Amino acid sequence: MVDGWLNDPVVNALHEDLGRQFRVLPREQQLTELVPELENAQARYDHLAGTVAGAPADDPRRFRLITMGDQVKSIRARINELSGSVQCRRCAE
């Protein structure tokens, strides 16, 4: 069911639309929203990483962890792109 939703062309188009709308916001506004989002995403990643640390290699939560890690990296990259320098302690990790 989740795969169907994630692969739905309408959902994908809406997601791309939101991304374009966000990217036209002023740089300062984007940073204001992205820095706390990065900190929250990193905290969620760290929590899940601790939870699955002793889990088997084929535990489905590990795949979620990889996806969450990619999300953290993309937020960090966007912050660095906007600022040209590190804006928060999590950005440098």
Side-chain angles (χ1 to χ4, degrees):
M1 183 171 152
V2 172
D3 285 336
W5 183 79
L6 290 174
N7 295 322
D8 185 278
V10 174
V11 171
N12 288 333
L14 288 171
H15 188 264
E16 288 173 13
D17 250 6
L18 289 172
R20 279 190 296 273
Q21 290 174 11
F22 183 77
R23 286 181 177 262
V24 298
L25 294 174
R27 182 180 74 81
E28 295 79 17
Q29 188 174 351
Q30 288 184 52
L31 284 170
T32 298
E33 293 183 33
L34 285 172
V35 170
E37 182 59 30
L38 174 61
E39 291 172 350
N40 290 335
Q42 184 69 55
R44 290 189 303 268
Y45 176 87
D46 293 346
H47 176 74
L48 184 58
T51 301
V52 300
D58 62 346
D59 188 312
R61 294 174 298 176
R62 289 190 181 273
F63 297 110
R64 177 69 182 141
L65 187 64
I66 292 168
T67 302
M68 290 172 76
D70 290 344
Q71 180 185 21
V72 168
K73 288 177 188 173
S74 68
I75 295 169
R76 186 178 297 129
R78 182 63 181 157
I79 289 171
N80 288 335
E81 179 183 308
L82 288 167
S83 65
S85 63
V86 175
Q87 293 292 315
C88 67
R89 62 178 166 39
R90 292 286 188 183
C91 298
E93 295 175 357

